[in-house]
Amino acid sequence: VLLVTTFLSHSYTSMFDVYSLSLKCPVSLDHYRSVPACDEPIALHDENFGNYKPSTIACFFVQGHLMGPNVKVHDTVDYLLWLLSDASAWLPTKTRNFLFDGIKKWAVWPWSDYSNDTDFPSNQYTGALSRALQKAKTYKSFKLNTKAVKDIETRLEFSIETLHLPNSREQIMQLFLESGAIEEWFRQRKKKA
């Protein structure tokens, strides 16, 4: 009733105003840094990203609305690696950093040794990084063992080929290891515990 009353009591200057109004839906304030300034589909066009938390917009960027059509094309880690690569350099720096920070804080990028939702072909190392992450209690106790390194390398090779990334495996490996994604994964796990 409020939506209809609001709609009928205002004059709208464009269909965008009506569209923007129609997208409003209640979402937990846990998804916001403050009151949202816009809806998720247009948050990346707002100078403050609609006041959403980076993880909320990264999740929306990767997989769209929860109850909407499936729009996810690649594994979450592929989006993370794409954002690290030069292929995403066309994005405004602020937007690129916001999305990358969001994917880190969303903390669902680790891949496992088996999934029906991926085209990544499993090999003898697949999932070694995830197992090493799960085994460690803290970032300080985390050890990047040989199998985990091979797991990352094979994942990078697949992502570079699939996404046609211009960077070498070694470049993206270095960017990944220096990105803080692993440290953030541990921070988010601690928050959720």
Side-chain angles (χ1 to χ4, degrees), residues 28-91:
S28 165
L29 286 178
D30 291 342
H31 295 282
Y32 310 118
R33 295 182 289 187
S34 64
V35 176
C38 61
D39 294 302
E40 293 101 329
I42 56 174
L44 290 175
H45 299 280
D46 181 73
E47 66 180 22
N48 295 313
F49 303 108
N51 297 327
Y52 290 94
K53 290 182 177 178
S55 57
T56 300
I57 297 305
C59 176
F60 186 84
F61 179 78
V62 170
Q63 61 190 28
H65 274 298
L66 179 63
M67 301 307 281
N70 183 8
V71 297
K72 187 175 180 181
V73 178
H74 302 287
D75 296 333
T76 304
V77 69
D78 291 323
Y79 291 90
L80 182 139
L81 298 173
W82 175 76
L83 286 163
L84 284 173
S85 79
D86 292 339
S88 66
W90 61 270
L91 286 170

Side-chain angles (χ1 to χ4, degrees), residues 111-115 120-123 125-128 130-131:
W111 59 97
S112 62
D113 53 349
Y114 177 78
S115 172
F120 179 59
S122 290
N123 60 63
Y125 302 108
T126 306
S130 289
R131 288 188 294 277

